Amino acid sequence: MPKNILITGGAGYIGSHTVLQLLLCGFKATIIDNLDNSSEIAVTRVKELAGQFGSNLIFYKIDLRNKPALEKIFASTNFDAVIHFAGLKAVGESVRKPLLYYNNNIIGTINLIEVMGAHGCKKLVFSSSATVYGWPKEVPCTEDFPIAATNPYGRTKLFIEEICCDVYRADSEWKIILLRYFNPIGAHPSGHIGEDPNGIPNNLMPFVQQVAVGRRPALTVFGKDYKTKDGTGVRDYIHVVDLSDGHIAALRKLFDSNIGCEVYNLGTGKGTSVLEMVAAFEKASGKKIPLVMAERRPGDTETVYASTKKAELELNWKAKYGIDEMCRDQWNWANKNPYGYGGPDSAI
Ligand code: UD1
């Protein structure tokens, strides 16, 4: 019997790519998503891309804070595991609206874990973030580094990690994997699904792609005086398809081992500067990206990249793609869908 997986936030950027990989690997998938920062069109496209496996996908428009609705789904279906992506993720907005972030991310997660426990579904993969390393004392970041947060969004990730560990300590039937994502970029090579943020993008590559298609005049580079190779911030960019495969590896670990509550980095272990990313994107797209050099963005760190050893050793997973392939696929998605899943009228 194929395993049945519930994916919260499965219509979003990382969620939709992961659902596609799950279907292609023969899993059954049920998405719940409130479509707050995602589109049902992504779900339709995932179904199409999955071909013969598309019929193994079910979608419900539900908010995790609606506990009776969640109860109903768990009462009607036996899930073997849950991958929990759903959550708000804009750092600046979280500073302005902390309670919105605590309400949505923390209460949503507590509801989910309570309903899972009540129905005997005790295997969970949670989307955490490298943001919990704060400004790391050194690189590469290993999973045993102290964790810290500098904004409410980051605190929700940190708190949820701690909540998961406490849930396991209280009941050792739980198996939980916390995945700390570095910087996911790129898109499925088909160009049919990709990242489509609401409003002005906060993250580097969605902004670069909108400059490339003429939606924004120039990229503002935040900081040119970091102690890095060219003065701009260095990050560990990872292809979203590699990241999705990391979730499948985590699921297999949950099913095949006696893991308790464990954390793994999902990154490539390589650091790339803002200017190097822009150059790689210009090469992949043939488009010139005009730059405006500016001050550092408050809260930004200088250099962050992952140690990938633990995931390689214990999950048997390693990223395959480099930045040229990430930029190629990012451009393919942008070129085919300059306004994401919407039309020009929906764009700001
Ligand atoms: C950001 C968040 C992080 C979150 C992650 C989610 C902040 C401070 N950090 O990480 O908490 O988990 O996104 O995806 O927001 N850059 C520019 N111009 C831009 C945008 C970015 O120069 O318009 C630079 C940044 O200064 C940084 C690099 O590009 O050096 C990557 O930025 P970004 O994509 O926002 O990722 P993070 O800052 O790593």
Side-chain angles (χ1 to χ4, degrees):
M1 275 291 282
K3 297 253 194 275
N4 201 358
I5 314 298
L6 179 77
I7 304 99
T8 75
Y13 172 46
I14 305 171
S16 57
H17 287 79
T18 302
V19 169
L20 177 57
Q21 298 306 97
L22 283 169
L23 293 170
L24 295 175
C25 287
F27 290 95
K28 291 173 81 174
T30 298
I31 294 176
I32 55 176
D33 198 306
N34 65 5
L35 299 181
D36 197 63
N37 187 21
S38 57
S39 165
E40 202 172 339
I41 299 170
V43 179
T44 311
R45 295 204 184 163
V46 165
K47 237 182 215 289
E48 286 163 10
L49 288 168
Q52 52 163 328
F53 297 110
S55 56
N56 286 336
L57 175 60
I58 297 174
F59 170 70
Y60 296 104
K61 181 177 184 299
I62 282 177
D63 189 302
L64 285 178
R65 288 164 298 178
N66 183 351
K67 206 170 171 189
L70 208 53
E71 275 285 353
K72 220 168 133 187
I73 291 182
F74 274 83
S76 67
T77 315
N78 283 327
F79 295 109
D80 295 293
V82 174
I83 307 182
H84 177 32
F85 293 103
L88 296 171
K89 60 162 200 138
V91 173
E93 183 187 53
S94 82
V95 174
R96 291 190 303 279
K97 302 177 185 170
L99 292 177
L100 176 69
Y101 274 65
Y102 292 129
N103 188 298
N104 189 88
N105 293 8
I106 309 261
I107 296 189
T109 302
I110 292 174
N111 280 347
L112 175 68
I113 294 179
E114 282 178 346
V115 175
M116 286 176 68
H119 290 270
C121 173
K122 295 186 179 177
K123 294 188 184 69
L124 175 66
V125 177
F126 171 64
S127 302
S128 189
S129 163
T131 196
V132 300
Y133 291 118
W135 186 303
K137 62 179 189 327
E138 58 188 10
V139 280
C141 301
T142 56
E143 288 83 347
D144 56 0
F145 274 19
I147 56 175
T150 53
N151 55 69
Y153 155 75
R155 257 183 289 284
T156 67
K157 293 294 180 193
L158 191 150
F159 291 160
I160 295 170
E161 285 200 3
E162 300 281 7
I163 289 169
C164 288
C165 294
D166 284 339
V167 165
Y168 166 69
R169 280 184 205 113
D171 174 358
S172 61
E173 282 182 10
W174 279 89
K175 294 183 182 185
I176 304 178
I177 290 185
L178 312 169
L179 296 176
R180 291 185 184 149
Y181 308 153
F182 281 70
N183 291 62
I185 63 165
H188 188 263
S190 65
H192 292 313
I193 54 172
E195 185 168 16
D196 182 20
N198 281 339
I200 301 170
N202 297 302
N203 297 119
L204 178 66
M205 293 314 283
F207 202 102
V208 167
Q209 118 180 17
Q210 292 194 6
V211 174
V213 298
R215 286 172 63 180
R216 321 239 167 239
L219 170 73
T220 305
V221 177
F222 297 136
K224 53 181 188 322
D225 59 349
Y226 287 111
K227 289 195 211 76
T228 58
K229 41 195 146 187
D230 56 23
T232 63
V234 167
R235 297 290 184 275
D236 186 340
Y237 296 92
I238 173 168
H239 197 297
V240 66
V241 174
D242 272 333
L243 191 79
S244 300
D245 287 339
H247 291 74
I248 314 279
L251 270 186
R252 297 207 194 284
K253 184 82 179 172
L254 288 185
F255 291 131
D256 300 342
S257 76
N258 273 331
I259 200 166
C261 182
E262 280 290 334
V263 50
Y264 295 96
N265 288 337
L266 293 185
T268 64
K270 296 188 185 73
T272 307
S273 74
V274 174
L275 296 183
E276 286 173 332
M277 278 317 293
V278 170
F281 187 85
E282 285 183 333
K283 194 170 127 217
S285 64
K287 300 276 177 185
K288 183 87 199 130
I289 306 297
L291 303 179
V292 175
M293 303 308 285
E295 293 302 301
R296 295 179 180 195
R297 181 170 63 178
D300 264 1
T301 46
E302 189 163 84
T303 299
V304 183
Y305 58 88
S307 162
T308 58
K309 282 201 189 107
K310 190 176 175 195
E312 275 173 40
L313 214 66
E314 296 180 20
L315 298 182
N316 205 11
W317 168 90
K318 191 177 180 345
K320 295 192 286 281
Y321 298 111
I323 58 167
D324 290 337
E325 287 136 326
M326 298 178 211
C327 289
R328 176 199 66 198
D329 293 338
Q330 182 100 30
W331 171 241
N332 186 34
W333 154 250
N335 196 25
K336 287 185 173 147
N337 306 270
Y339 291 93
Y341 294 112
D345 297 343
S346 66
I348 303 170

